[in-house]
Amino acid sequence: MAGRGEPNGRANRRRGEVEAMIDGERRILCLTLGALAELETAFGVPDLGALAARFSAGRVTATDLTRVIAAGLRGGGNLMSDEEVAAMHVEGGVTACVAIVSDLLEAAFGTADNSHRP
């Protein structure tokens, strides 16, 4: 999807962006600080550590997937509601949605191997 994220439509991982095919379009998603704040509120957690811990437990609901993907889409400049995102088609179904959320969380929080990098 040209015009979103990088000029050529490619995600910039250094900025925490990921790319996914959603509803037949290549879209850029990013968990910006605003998107992370939105998720803190939505999940009723007090801080980013609690948000990360919530997801590191490995148990997610369909609502969780929808909220994180929707926040990532909004952070990537795609203005749509959670309800609109819930109605969208992701090729690969739930497994693909889990992969998108995993990529977003990894891009936002890093992994144990790169968490020490600035």
Side-chain angles (χ1 to χ4, degrees):
M1 168 171 277
R4 302 199 189 223
E6 289 292 289
N8 64 3
R10 294 273 187 216
N12 182 337
R13 287 295 276 207
R14 290 183 153 227
R15 289 194 305 222
E17 295 175 347
V18 300
E19 188 175 329
M21 287 295 291
I22 300 175
D23 233 15
E25 293 185 42
R26 184 173 55 187
R27 300 178 190 267
I28 299 295
L29 298 85
C30 184
L31 291 180
T32 61
L33 283 177
L36 290 167
E38 177 185 326
L39 291 174
E40 286 174 342
T41 300
F43 292 117
V45 296
D47 55 40
L48 288 174
L51 186 64
R54 186 182 193 292
F55 289 109
S56 68
R59 297 185 67 181
V60 296
T61 67
T63 301
D64 295 345
L65 296 174
T66 300
R67 284 180 175 165
V68 174
I69 291 170
L73 283 165
R74 287 188 288 273
N78 303 276
L79 302 179
M80 52 193 63
S81 69
D82 288 3
E83 293 77 19
E84 290 171 308
V85 172
M88 297 176 121
H89 172 74
V90 176
E91 189 173 324
V94 174
T95 302
C97 290
V98 169
I100 292 168
V101 168
S102 177
D103 285 349
L104 274 169
L105 294 172
E106 183 179 320
F109 292 104
T111 62
D113 293 336
N114 70 5
S115 62
H116 64 280
R117 293 184 197 158

